[in-house]
């Protein structure tokens, strides 16, 4: 049994951190294909239905390979912000716990998702009167800009 098959088994890594975990063969098959592609440094295109467990099927083999190969960077690109948020806030913490490794994770979005301090400053110094609502909104944004660590407008 490979490390991937073991991780997805009823007594494996996932079962130890997810109370109701049950192995699903399509998920295991996908994870094995991902692991094989990583090992061979190849390409893989996978299509799988809802409920297959796709995120774990590609993230766990990547984390296991990363652990075995002395910490290489793993980049996961998603099609939606919702999936990014799910991966970052839900799935990766569970998998990090399962792998029992100190993994550094960063969430990066396109620049249109962050407050532009330059534009905020330019707006502040622009000439002209602001109506009451616009002034109220500007004050709220300025206050938030001084307290946010990431600048993520989401």
């Amino acid at each position: 049994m490979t490390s991937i098959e073991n991780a997805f088994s009823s007594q494996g890594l996932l079962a130890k951190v997810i109370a109701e975990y049950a192995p699903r063969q399509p998920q295991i098959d996908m994870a094995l294909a991902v692991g094989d592609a990583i090992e061979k440094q190849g390409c893989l295109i996978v299509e799988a239905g809802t409920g297959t467990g796709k995120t774990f099927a590609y993230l766990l083999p990547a984390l296991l390979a990363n652990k075995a190969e002395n910490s290489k960077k793993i980049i996961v690109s998603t099609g939606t912000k919702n999936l990014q948020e799910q991966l970052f806030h839900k799935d990766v913490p569970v998998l990090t716990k399962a792998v029992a490794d100190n993994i550094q994770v960063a969430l990066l979005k396109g620049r249109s998702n962050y407050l532009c301090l330059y534009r905020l400053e330019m707006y502040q110094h622009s000439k002209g009167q602001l109506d009451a609502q616009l002034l109220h909104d500007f004050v709220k944004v300025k206050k938030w800009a001084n307290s946010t660590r990431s600048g993520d407008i989401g």
Side-chain angles (χ1 to χ4, degrees), residues 66-85:
N66 187 52
K67 190 172 183 177
E69 296 177 14
N70 299 324
S71 298
K72 292 184 179 180
K73 288 183 182 180
I74 300 168
I75 299 173
V76 176
S77 177
T78 66
T80 66
K81 291 180 213 170
N82 287 342
L83 182 54
Q84 273 186 336
E85 297 287 333

Side-chain angles (χ1 to χ4, degrees), residues 13 43 56 87 91 94 125 136 138 153:
L13 295 174
C43 294
F56 282 19
L87 294 176
D91 297 342
V94 169
H125 295 298
H136 174 74
F138 178 75
I153 61 175

Side-chain angles (χ1 to χ4, degrees), residues 5 7-12 14-15 20-28:
E5 288 172 310
F8 284 92
S9 72
S10 60
Q11 304 299 316
L14 292 176
E20 301 289 322
Y21 177 77
R24 292 176 275 178
Q25 196 58 49
Q27 183 182 45
I28 296 167

Side-chain angles (χ1 to χ4, degrees), residues 1 4 6 15 21-22 42-43 47 49 54 66 68 76 78 87 96 104 111 117-118 125-126 130 134:
M1 183 179 284
I4 291 173
N6 187 42
Y21 177 77
C43 294
E47 184 176 7
K54 293 180 287 290
N66 187 52
V76 176
T78 66
L87 294 176
T96 300
Q104 291 183 342
R111 66 181 178 178
L117 295 175
Y118 173 76
H125 295 298
S126 67
L130 298 178
L134 200 52

Side-chain angles (χ1 to χ4, degrees), residues 65-142:
N66 187 52
K67 190 172 183 177
E69 296 177 14
N70 299 324
S71 298
K72 292 184 179 180
K73 288 183 182 180
I74 300 168
I75 299 173
V76 176
S77 177
T78 66
T80 66
K81 291 180 213 170
N82 287 342
L83 182 54
Q84 273 186 336
E85 297 287 333
Q86 175 192 322
L87 294 176
F88 186 75
H89 296 291
K90 184 179 173 196
D91 297 342
V92 170
V94 169
L95 294 174
T96 300
K97 187 176 177 183
V99 175
D101 202 0
N102 187 16
I103 298 169
Q104 291 183 342
V105 180
L107 175 62
L108 304 172
K109 299 177 183 179
R111 66 181 178 178
S112 64
N113 294 286
Y114 297 96
L115 174 66
C116 178
L117 295 175
Y118 173 76
R119 287 186 179 175
L120 183 65
E121 189 69 23
M122 294 300 296
Y123 188 80
Q124 182 173 343
H125 295 298
S126 67
K127 305 258 191 264
Q129 293 279 333
L130 298 178
D131 65 37
Q133 182 61 49
L134 200 52
L135 182 59
H136 174 74
D137 292 344
F138 178 75
V139 169
K140 282 175 58 175
V141 169
K142 188 75 173 161

Side-chain angles (χ1 to χ4, degrees), residues 26-41:
Q27 183 182 45
I28 296 167
D29 294 342
M30 181 177 164
L32 288 168
V34 169
D36 188 52
I38 291 170
E39 183 179 324
K40 293 178 180 174
Q41 296 184 7

